Amino acid sequence: VTLVGSRALEALLEALRRDSEDREMARCLVETLLLLLVVRDDGPKEEEQDLRGAICEMILKGEETLAALLGLLPDASLH
């Protein structure tokens, strides 16, 4: 989680903003983001908790990213 989140997060968010009209790509990107945010059964490490908070903050502060995510909500195939 830490490595992917710290090195690839901005690229994932940029791809989501750019490719949100491509439903298959958007689904893959959303699933990847969810994997970064899900806490494993063995409990989160402190650095992973910090990273999850940073991911959420980046998503919520990025108007284009948030708009892209909200635009995907009506698509039932992404749920």
Side-chain angles (χ1 to χ4, degrees), residues 57-73:
E57 190 172 320
M58 287 181 75
I59 290 171
L60 293 173
K61 284 187 175 182
E63 290 181 27
E64 291 179 29
T65 304
L66 190 55
L69 282 170
L70 292 174
L72 296 172
L73 287 176

Side-chain angles (χ1 to χ4, degrees):
V1 169
T2 306
L3 183 62
V4 173
S6 63
R7 295 194 180 175
L9 180 60
E10 188 53 46
L12 289 169
L13 296 176
E14 175 59 34
L16 181 63
R17 290 187 293 266
R18 183 188 61 235
D19 298 328
S20 63
E21 296 298 317
D22 179 345
R23 294 305 188 204
E24 185 61 28
M25 177 63 82
R27 186 177 64 78
C28 291
L29 291 164
V30 168
E31 286 179 3
T32 302
L33 290 170
L34 286 173
L35 286 172
L36 292 173
L37 294 170
V38 170
V39 177
R40 297 182 313 231
D41 289 338
D42 60 350
K45 297 176 183 167
E46 189 172 332
E47 62 187 30
E48 289 178 356
Q49 279 185 301
D50 293 343
L51 180 61
R52 286 182 181 94
I55 292 170
C56 291
E57 190 172 320
M58 287 181 75
I59 290 171
L60 293 173
K61 284 187 175 182
E63 290 181 27
E64 291 179 29
T65 304
L66 190 55
L69 282 170
L70 292 174
L72 296 172
L73 287 176
D75 190 346
S77 67
L78 290 173
H79 299 273

